[in-house]
């Protein structure tokens, strides 16, 4: 019963990423979209929240915010909207941490 | 898979209506079925035909209408949320004595039960919001 | 209709500051008519929805907090409250409304609706659901 967790807010603005990472179980995946993508940057303090999690990030949202892939924490998978659809299909349900 | 998509925010203020649109389009391109798109909270503002965005910007409302027409998608505005925010179709205008309507093509106004039904009938429910 | 699905409504926003709490409650009440296996979660700022003593007279908004006590009548009897969210905010169960439901099978005995769960227990509860409604 794997779950896809969506976070769309910067971890420096809300506690949503913190909550999501605390609820995530083995096998679940986190997808960072919209302002959530700031949480994927390796030099940010919030990057430690991603330790041990399976993380994807929406490429178009990264590009829009001028974040190049070399600034991302290790092991993060960059996907497009089609990849987003695939993740929704691959997981039994989706939780949006709004 | 069969999807229900919920959109909780209005156009332009938040990115959620844009993300929901790009997601819906990608899902259709991959051959998935969209059972319903349900607009709730300020999301009902996606369904007014009276918006006039600048010419060099995307037209979010028209984009939804075109997607609905091209793929025969059921796009529902929550009636309680729409009444609060002044989104009106012919039926609502008549029932509530309004002198105009503003609903965009491809949208209809109906109850919250349509969202619950989406949860029952679809393989996945995905929510876009603030 | 297909077999009942396990529906979970997850509330994470405080009342009044935004409309999400109230419009979420409207979905729960309408959804009750669909005879699914319904649960509701209150976590993060969502726990503020259940606090006692709300009085909205001064802000001119409808006080919808009494509606939570009617959830039992709508057969919404599984209400999860996350312990960590309460503790971070300096709250305890005593600060929340006492929500109950009447068990028809036990001569209408009053039972507590609120289940206090840790974040780890809540993760298990969420994993066991079919559909998650996010507010």
């Amino acid at each position: 019963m794997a779950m896809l967790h969506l976070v769309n807010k910067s971890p420096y603005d809300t506690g949503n990423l913190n909550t999501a990472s605390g609820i995530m179980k083995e096998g679940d995946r986190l997808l960072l979209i919209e302002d959530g993508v700031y949480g994927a940057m390796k030099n940010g303090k919030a990057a430690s929240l991603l330790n041990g999690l399976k993380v994807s990030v929406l490429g178009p949202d990264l590009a829009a915010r001028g974040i190049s892939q070399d600034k991302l924490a290790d092991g993060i998978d960059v996907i497009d909207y089609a990849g987003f659809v695939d993740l929704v299909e691959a997981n039994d349900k989706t939780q949006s941490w709004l | 898979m069969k999807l229900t998509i919920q959109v909780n925010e209005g156009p332009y203020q938040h990115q959620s209506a844009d993300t929901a649109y790009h997601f819906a389009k990608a899902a259709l391109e991959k051959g998935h079925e969209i059972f319903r798109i349900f607009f709730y909270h300020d999301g009902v503002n996606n369904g007014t035909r009276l918006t006039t965005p600048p010419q060099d910007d995307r037209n979010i409302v028209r984009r939804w209408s075109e997607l609905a027409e091209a793929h025969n998608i059921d796009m529902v505005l929550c009636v309680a949320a729409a009444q609060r925010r002044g989104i009106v179709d012919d039926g609502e205008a008549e029932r509530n004595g309004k002198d105009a309507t503003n609903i965009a093509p491809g949208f209809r106004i109906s109850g919250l039960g349509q969202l619950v039904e989406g949860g029952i009938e679809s393989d996945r429910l995905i929510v876009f919001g603030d | 209709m297909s077999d009942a699905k396990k529906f979970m409504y997850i509330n994470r926003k405080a009342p009044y500051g935004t409309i999400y709490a109230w419009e979420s409650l409207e979905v729960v009440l309408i959804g009750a008519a669909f005879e699914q296996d319904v649960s509701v979660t209150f976590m993060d700022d969502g726990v503020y929805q259940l606090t006692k003593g709300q009085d909205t007279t001064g802000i001119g908004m409808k006080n919808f907090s009494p509606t939570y006590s009617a959830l039992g009548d709508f057969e919404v009897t599984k209400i999860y409250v996350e312990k960590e969210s309460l503790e971070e905010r300096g709250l305890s169960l005593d600060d929340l409304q006492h929500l109950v439901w009447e068990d028809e099978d036990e001569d209408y005995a009053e039972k507590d609706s609120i289940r206090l769960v840790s974040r780890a227990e809540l993760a298990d509860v969420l994993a066991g659901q079919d559909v998650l409604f996010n507010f």
Side-chain angles (χ1 to χ4, degrees):
Chain A
M1 296 290 278
M3 242 160 100
L4 176 65
H5 299 255
L6 295 182
V7 171
N8 73 336
K9 285 288 176 293
S10 160
Y12 308 101
D13 180 32
T14 74
N16 295 351
L17 179 59
N18 189 46
T19 299
S21 64
I23 288 283
M24 281 180 70
K25 295 173 78 76
E26 182 129 20
D28 287 3
R29 179 168 288 274
L30 175 67
L31 172 60
L32 301 171
I33 66 170
E34 302 173 359
D35 288 348
V37 301
Y38 291 115
M41 297 175 74
K42 66 180 167 199
N43 290 335
K45 210 173 154 188
S48 62
L49 291 170
L50 308 180
N51 287 343
L53 303 180
K54 290 201 292 182
V55 184
S56 301
V57 62
L58 198 55
D61 280 328
L62 280 181
R65 289 159 180 83
I67 304 169
S68 56
Q69 297 201 15
D70 57 301
K71 295 200 180 98
L72 301 182
D74 290 341
I76 293 184
D77 192 24
V78 178
I79 61 169
D80 57 8
Y81 290 101
F84 186 174
V85 174
D86 291 342
L87 285 183
V88 168
E89 188 176 26
N91 290 275
D92 300 296
K93 54 188 174 281
T94 301
Q95 164 68 18
S96 297
W97 297 100
L98 300 174
Chain B
M1 72 185 149
K2 204 194 277 188
L3 288 157
T4 289
I5 296 171
Q6 182 183 338
V7 181
N8 286 348
E9 299 299 332
Y12 305 104
Q13 178 88 13
H14 294 280
Q15 199 187 340
S16 54
D18 291 282
T19 307
Y21 172 79
H22 293 303
F23 176 85
K25 213 162 145 263
L28 292 165
E29 278 163 11
K30 284 185 153 280
H32 298 295
E33 179 192 345
I34 296 180
F35 176 75
R36 180 166 293 148
I37 304 179
F38 190 86
F39 296 85
Y40 198 34
H41 307 298
D42 275 356
V44 297
N45 290 314
N46 282 277
T48 169
R49 68 167 186 269
L50 299 184
T51 60
T52 313
Q55 294 227 335
D56 61 351
D57 198 357
R58 69 233 190 270
N59 189 321
I60 294 181
V61 175
R62 189 190 302 147
R63 213 165 56 175
W64 283 125
S65 294
E66 286 168 358
L67 192 74
E69 195 187 349
H71 299 276
N72 197 23
I73 299 170
D74 187 24
M75 299 199 306
V76 177
L77 308 176
C78 166
V79 61
Q83 285 174 339
R84 284 186 179 118
R85 295 163 179 86
I87 309 296
V88 182
D89 64 4
D90 288 338
E92 284 296 306
E94 198 176 315
R95 262 188 298 282
N96 299 310
K98 302 296 178 189
D99 60 4
T101 67
N102 59 349
I103 195 166
F107 291 88
R108 65 187 179 95
I109 294 178
S110 188
L112 274 173
Q114 302 279 306
L115 170 62
V116 178
E117 188 191 41
I120 295 170
E121 298 297 332
S122 302
D123 301 311
R124 300 285 186 279
L125 170 70
I126 173 157
V127 185
F128 294 94
D130 180 28
Chain C
M1 197 192 284
S2 47
D3 289 344
K5 283 188 174 179
K6 295 178 93 171
F7 271 25
M8 173 62 86
Y9 298 92
I10 302 173
N11 294 282
R12 298 180 51 247
K13 311 240 188 197
Y16 311 119
T18 58
I19 199 170
Y20 301 105
W22 171 229
E23 288 191 334
S24 162
L25 190 53
E26 288 188 325
V27 181
V28 176
L29 296 175
I30 297 279
F34 285 77
E35 298 185 348
Q36 303 298 304
D37 180 2
V38 172
S39 303
V40 184
T41 290
F42 295 89
M43 64 187 299
D44 294 330
D45 278 354
V47 299
Y48 289 127
Q49 293 180 32
L50 297 180
T51 53
K52 289 178 193 162
Q54 295 176 24
D55 176 0
T56 57
T57 323
I59 59 169
M61 292 169 75
K62 179 172 164 179
N63 180 355
F64 56 87
S65 68
T67 312
Y68 294 104
S69 59
L71 285 173
D73 302 334
F74 285 83
E75 291 177 34
V76 178
T77 62
K78 286 173 286 192
I79 298 178
Y80 296 90
V81 173
E82 196 205 50
K83 197 163 158 272
E84 285 85 343
S85 299
L86 280 183
E87 284 171 357
E88 280 169 9
R89 288 161 182 77
L91 299 173
S92 72
L93 273 187
D94 291 339
D95 296 301
L96 306 186
Q97 296 187 56
H98 184 209
L99 303 182
V100 296
W101 60 287
E102 291 177 348
D103 191 344
E104 282 178 39
D105 300 333
E106 290 184 26
D107 197 23
Y108 295 92
E110 256 192 15
K111 296 188 172 174
D112 283 341
S113 301
I114 292 183
R115 305 169 184 205
L116 190 64
V117 290
S118 68
R119 186 159 290 186
E121 288 166 334
L122 182 61
D124 289 338
V125 172
L126 297 185
Q129 303 297 315
D130 294 316
V131 187
L132 307 172
F133 290 84
N134 321 130
F135 293 99

